[in-house]
Amino acid sequence: MNSHLLGQENDRTALRLIHDFGWLRAPELGLLIWGAHTHHIKYGERILRKLAARHLVIPRPLPAHSGSAFVLSQRGADLLLESTGITARSGKDWGETLAGVWVAPKWWRHDLLAHSFLALLSSQGYTVIPERRLRRENAVDKLPDGLAIPPDKGDVFWVEIESTRKSGRNMDLMARALIKVALGKAPTLSRLKANQTMICYADGATDERGYRLDHRARVLNALQRHASDTVAVCLYKLSLKGLAVTDFSGEVVTITRDAVKQRLHQWRTLWCDTTENLEGGQELILEGLLLSVWQKKNTLWRWQVEDTHRVGQDGYPLILEFGEALTRTAAEEALAALPLWGD
């Protein structure tokens, strides 16, 4: 192929990749097209300058000195349809403009982690499918941040990037999805069925207040809460330069079912204020048993289990178990560890 035709092919590939990912910077585009070539960043910058000069892409300045993101223009989307048959849309509405100044969407940091990690995998011979493309091709509730197929084609990895403090609901959704993958029950996405996990987290991550986030511990705790059997998952610690991934190291972790954590998780929405006048007390009814926790005047927390169907010698419901703990959490854990539950 002569240089002119090769250039045209690279232009089409660049437009298709920007369409697949939604937006890309020069370093990631260079890795996706030229792999780990010494000059992949320079090549990425060159092709994006050319596409921008032809008004096929729109540059957007990212915060935190993270370079420029490039999205498709309408002209670029039209050319992609004309040259490849791929129906694409302009990315001009990515982010928002406030008082004449373009502002990146709140999730751009997460996207940059995902894009840079997938581009790095691609440079090592993996076939990668980003979330943006998966979302277009599949109508399911929970999607990964990408799928990755290694060079030997033996596995399909479900990629999850942990970069923010997930809410309880979102963490539960992610954990259940990962457990399904580990058990061989993943949904079919774009005609691929993931059978391995890639749970990725940035080393030394912090939240918006500057507090350290231990993503590894948070994910493992969530998986233990939802595991119905012993499963193995793959965790990857990401090394960053700026806000982009430059390297990673993996480990296989065996997750065993933690019945106490699972009970605590199931009970957390069932607690209600006690009907008796117990300071700070709450209770829940489970399998005909009344569980109560309350704080005593000396600051210790009291807990007990009553059988609502049986009466003790004092004429009140029969107390099966009771005890004290230093904190509310410790009191609930003591209740959850009792050998009374039929799970």
Side-chain angles (χ1 to χ4, degrees), residues 30 38-39 59 63 87 115 125 166 225 229 237 280 287 312 332 338 340 343:
T38 305
H39 302 299
T87 302
H115 293 181
K166 276 187 169 65
R225 291 198 303 266
D229 203 348
K237 182 169 67 174
E287 300 174 11
E332 290 185 29
L338 293 173
L340 297 174
D343 54 3

Side-chain angles (χ1 to χ4, degrees), residues 15 32-33 170 174 188 205 219 247 249 268 274 291 321 325-326:
L15 293 174
L32 288 163
I33 297 179
N170 288 332
M174 185 192 72
T188 298
V219 169
D247 200 3
S249 58
R268 66 181 182 177
T274 57
L291 286 65
E321 301 280 356
L326 292 175

Side-chain angles (χ1 to χ4, degrees), residues 120-150:
L120 189 58
L121 289 179
S122 175
S123 73
Q124 297 180 7
Y126 283 73
T127 299
V128 298
I129 304 176
E131 180 188 6
R132 184 69 172 265
R133 177 177 159 188
L134 292 172
R135 193 167 298 282
R136 285 197 300 267
E137 297 177 352
N138 305 276
V140 298
D141 292 333
K142 178 65 180 105
L143 287 167
D145 292 309
L147 294 178
I149 303 97

Side-chain angles (χ1 to χ4, degrees), residues 33-319:
I33 297 179
W34 290 280
H37 190 284
T38 305
H39 302 299
H40 72 272
I41 297 178
K42 182 185 296 184
Y43 293 165
E45 291 171 341
R46 181 185 299 168
I47 197 170
L48 285 170
R49 280 198 304 270
K50 182 171 66 171
L51 295 177
R54 295 170 59 192
H55 305 289
L56 299 175
V57 296
I58 304 169
R60 297 295 195 196
L62 293 174
H65 307 289
S66 296
S68 293
F70 288 81
V71 298
L72 288 181
S73 67
Q74 187 57 56
R75 182 181 293 184
D78 293 342
L79 178 60
L80 195 60
L81 176 62
E82 177 186 332
S83 60
T84 67
I86 296 174
T87 302
R89 293 175 55 187
S90 168
K92 66 180 179 62
D93 294 328
W94 181 66
E96 58 183 334
T97 301
L98 300 175
V101 178
W102 183 82
V103 179
K106 293 180 180 179
W107 54 88
W108 74 270
R109 291 172 183 262
H110 175 274
D111 286 354
L112 180 52
L113 276 178
H115 293 181
S116 58
F117 179 65
L118 292 174
L120 189 58
L121 289 179
S122 175
S123 73
Q124 297 180 7
Y126 283 73
T127 299
V128 298
I129 304 176
E131 180 188 6
R132 184 69 172 265
R133 177 177 159 188
L134 292 172
R135 193 167 298 282
R136 285 197 300 267
E137 297 177 352
N138 305 276
V140 298
D141 292 333
K142 178 65 180 105
L143 287 167
D145 292 309
L147 294 178
I149 303 97
D152 63 11
K153 311 295 183 184
D155 293 299
V156 178
F157 286 87
W158 178 290
V159 179
E160 284 285 352
I161 305 290
E162 276 298 280
S163 62
T164 58
R165 190 188 296 276
K166 276 187 169 65
S167 67
R169 178 180 179 275
N170 288 332
M171 182 63 81
D172 290 341
L173 284 173
M174 185 192 72
R176 284 194 288 266
L178 291 169
I179 292 294
K180 285 184 178 180
V181 174
L183 293 174
K185 299 178 180 178
T188 298
L189 301 175
S190 300
R191 293 185 286 186
L192 294 169
K193 189 178 179 70
N195 65 334
Q196 296 286 349
T197 59
M198 271 188 176
I199 308 166
C200 308
Y201 61 95
D203 189 26
T206 58
D207 64 11
E208 64 281 355
R209 299 167 298 174
Y211 293 117
R212 187 176 183 277
L213 289 173
D214 191 344
H215 288 303
R216 183 181 185 279
R218 285 169 55 81
V219 169
L220 292 179
N221 285 335
L223 291 172
Q224 283 185 319
R225 291 198 303 266
H226 291 278
S228 58
D229 203 348
T230 300
V231 295
V233 296
C234 302
L235 272 72
Y236 290 79
K237 182 169 67 174
L238 307 178
S239 299
L240 309 183
K241 182 177 181 180
L243 296 174
V245 181
T246 57
D247 200 3
F248 59 88
S249 58
E251 61 174 324
V252 178
V253 178
T254 300
I255 304 296
T256 55
R257 178 175 179 266
D258 189 321
V260 170
K261 286 182 180 178
Q262 290 183 356
R263 290 181 195 127
L264 290 171
H265 186 68
Q266 293 163 1
W267 294 354
R268 66 181 182 177
T269 59
L270 303 179
W271 291 101
C272 58
D273 292 340
T274 57
T275 54
E276 297 184 15
N277 186 24
L278 297 174
E279 184 179 353
Q282 286 199 309
E283 62 188 18
L284 68 84
I285 296 177
L286 187 71
E287 300 174 11
L289 304 179
L290 177 65
L291 286 65
S292 303
V293 293
W294 70 96
Q295 193 169 23
K296 299 177 67 176
K297 291 182 179 180
N298 63 358
T299 74
L300 288 176
W301 282 83
R302 178 89 175 182
W303 58 265
Q304 71 179 26
V305 181
E306 299 173 273
D307 189 334
T308 58
H309 301 302
R310 297 161 64 188
V311 178
Q313 294 181 354
D314 57 1
Y316 290 94
L318 180 64
I319 296 177

